[in-house]
Amino acid sequence: DAGITQSPRHKVTETGTPVTLRCHQTENHRYMYWYRQDPGHGLRLIHYSYGVKDTDKGEVSDGYSVSRSKTEDFLLTLESATSSQTSVYFCAISEFNLDDNEQFFGPGTRLTVL
Amino acid sequence: RKEVEQDPGPFNVPEGATVAFNCTYSNSASQSFFWYRQDCRKEPKLLMSVYSSGNEDGRFTAQLNRASQYISLLIRDSKLSDSATYLCVVNEAGGSYIPTFGRGTSLIVHP
């Protein structure tokens, strides 16, 4: 299995509080991604990074920010959590290769916003 | 907006059956295609890439039809352990690598 971990694995928080989720990889892959997965929506891209300090928005970026100060770490911050951000969050990594862009996913973080 | 569409199912099949899923995509410039498998409450994992010439891995066969813009996954001799959600993933050509996921097709294999 690819070396990718997420922390915390579960979190319950209250509306209005900031929350930071961490993704850590040991594969030295260039690309890192944050997705959320909700019933009926599948996986939706929040933000992604294509290198240290290089990030861009995905499909559902409102209310989220990210940072990547090191190759191995990609942080997702919910600046002021809302109940609509209750979801399962997956981090993924990949190397940029046009022919074989396999993504490796972390185990997920289950976030509940009360 | 890029679209990747899958029938959510569930597909309920007996052990030993053959089952096929399709996935349609809207962007004709799409470059590469994949099937992922996701078990309940787990992360997605790559099942197989889909090549223009089609490819086979044991009981699993993937096909690409660029003219009609769909990919397919065929599972022969279904096992109980094949029960999962199968996600179709499509990547665009060139530029940044941003994949688009389908919502997944649920497969339940029963004894």
Side-chain angles (χ1 to χ4, degrees), chain A residues 43, chain B residues 6 34-36 38 44 85-89 101-104:
Chain A
L43 279 159
Chain B
Q6 296 182 250
F34 305 86
W35 284 102
Y36 280 72
Q38 186 173 23
T85 297
Y86 292 84
L87 308 175
C88 166
V89 183
F101 281 76
R103 298 180 184 184

Side-chain angles (χ1 to χ4, degrees), chain B residues 15-83:
Chain B
E15 274 186 289
T18 295
V19 61
F21 311 135
N22 280 345
C23 167
T24 61
Y25 59 95
S26 61
N27 186 350
S28 59
S30 297
Q31 172 85 2
S32 53
F33 310 87
F34 305 86
W35 284 102
Y36 280 72
R37 171 192 170 128
Q38 186 173 23
D39 294 307
C40 187
R41 302 178 77 85
K42 297 288 188 180
E43 72 271 24
K45 292 186 178 181
L46 181 69
L47 178 66
M48 58 198 307
S49 303
V50 186
Y51 303 122
S52 296
S53 56
N55 49 306
E56 186 173 312
D57 183 3
R59 298 181 293 107
F60 299 83
T61 300
Q63 298 279 353
L64 167 63
N65 186 317
R66 285 192 183 273
S68 301
Q69 294 183 203
Y70 74 86
I71 66 172
S72 63
L73 178 67
L74 180 76
I75 305 175
R76 291 181 298 277
D77 188 23
S78 298
K79 312 292 185 190
L80 296 176
S81 57
D82 293 335
S83 297

Side-chain angles (χ1 to χ4, degrees), chain A residues 1 31 33 35 37 40-43 45 48 59 90 94-96 98-103 105-107 110, chain B residues 1 31-32 34 36 38 41-46 49 51 87 91 93-99 101-103:
Chain A
D1 288 346
Y31 281 76
Y33 309 80
Y35 292 91
Q37 188 172 38
H41 288 279
L43 279 159
L45 183 65
Y48 68 99
E59 178 187 357
F90 287 104
S94 72
E95 267 299 275
F96 183 66
L98 283 177
D99 295 326
D100 191 8
N101 288 320
E102 178 178 2
Q103 285 189 305
F105 285 83
R110 193 168 294 274
Chain B
R1 183 178 177 278
Q31 172 85 2
S32 53
F34 305 86
Y36 280 72
Q38 186 173 23
R41 302 178 77 85
K42 297 288 188 180
E43 72 271 24
K45 292 186 178 181
L46 181 69
S49 303
Y51 303 122
L87 308 175
N91 301 330
S96 58
Y97 165 42
I98 305 301
F101 281 76
R103 298 180 184 184

